[in-house]
Amino acid sequence: YKDTENDLWEYKSNKQYEVEANEFAAELLMPTNIFLKISKKEKFSLKFIQELKELFDTSITATAIRFAEKGNDPILLVCSQNNIVRWYAKNSGFPFSQINVHEEVPFNTVAYEYFVKNRIYNNPEQIDPKDWQISDRFYGQLKYYEQCVYFDYYGYVLSFIWIDK
């Protein structure tokens, strides 16, 4: 059995057995030690996430979650559906952010542009970290980018937000 992209809506489920099953599956399919070794070889990019997806034979969403939680680069992954934030994942290297789950996608974000203006960006867009409520003591010194993967069929978007050092 293989989860579909849509099945991962339960990623941040309140059902403990679903959370444990997702964690077990991630470790089984993308073992942390192997994943870390490979992910240290290259900086974040959607191309690299796609390569990891192919290597581990996992969905883009599962691979993105694993990279956000265990990857080498500080990254924030936000999943939105129909202009509502559903869940997010990040690693400890990413600055503090207050993502409001079950609320509308913040104004001025790439995801917002998609949901409200039907605008699709194919390349990373430099963003103001304040738009995603990211608290960074180095404001103005670091560049933040957002790039989305769009799943029109399911009505959701994965927003990758990262820092270019």
Side-chain angles (χ1 to χ4, degrees):
Y1 176 76
K2 206 173 189 182
D3 276 347
T4 66
E5 295 294 339
N6 197 44
D7 291 332
L8 286 167
W9 281 110
E10 294 296 323
Y11 165 66
K12 290 286 186 169
S13 170
N14 290 329
K15 301 173 189 167
Q16 187 60 30
Y17 65 88
E18 188 68 32
V19 171
E20 290 173 3
N22 285 341
E23 289 173 4
F24 177 80
E27 188 62 33
L28 180 67
L29 297 171
M30 298 174 278
T32 300
N33 59 337
I34 296 170
F35 194 87
L36 285 174
K37 185 177 179 181
I38 294 169
S39 70
K40 286 183 181 181
K41 293 180 180 178
E42 196 169 326
K43 289 178 68 171
F44 168 79
S45 70
L46 283 183
K47 180 180 179 242
F48 187 51
I49 295 294
Q50 185 66 33
E51 290 171 10
L52 291 171
K53 170 199 174 303
E54 298 297 325
L55 178 67
F56 289 105
D57 192 25
T58 52
S59 71
I60 191 79
T61 305
T63 308
I65 292 167
R66 193 68 165 170
F67 191 88
E69 293 179 340
K70 304 284 185 183
N72 189 44
D73 288 341
I75 189 168
L76 170 66
L77 176 67
V78 180
C79 185
S80 312
Q81 184 180 38
N82 301 324
N83 202 35
I84 302 295
V85 174
R86 297 297 179 195
W87 53 258
Y88 67 94
K90 68 183 190 110
N91 62 32
S92 60
F94 197 85
F96 176 77
S97 55
Q98 179 62 46
I99 303 299
N100 297 315
V101 177
H102 307 299
E103 292 187 12
E104 288 188 355
V105 172
F107 179 76
N108 256 2
T109 63
V110 175
Y112 175 88
E113 295 272 326
Y114 170 76
F115 288 120
V116 175
K117 300 179 180 179
N118 289 330
R119 187 164 182 192
I120 292 176
Y121 295 87
N122 294 317
N123 296 310
E125 294 292 317
Q126 188 172 348
I127 61 166
D128 184 339
K130 293 175 189 171
D131 291 337
W132 277 108
Q133 301 164 346
I134 297 168
S135 300
D136 183 358
R137 58 189 173 115
F138 300 108
Y139 276 129
Q141 297 176 28
L142 301 173
K143 292 181 180 178
Y144 285 77
Y145 292 89
E146 179 179 358
Q147 188 170 12
C148 295
V149 175
Y150 308 97
F151 298 87
D152 293 329
Y153 182 77
Y154 299 117
Y156 77 92
V157 169
L158 287 177
S159 296
F160 295 87
I161 299 140
W162 71 96
I163 304 165
D164 186 21
K165 298 178 186 177

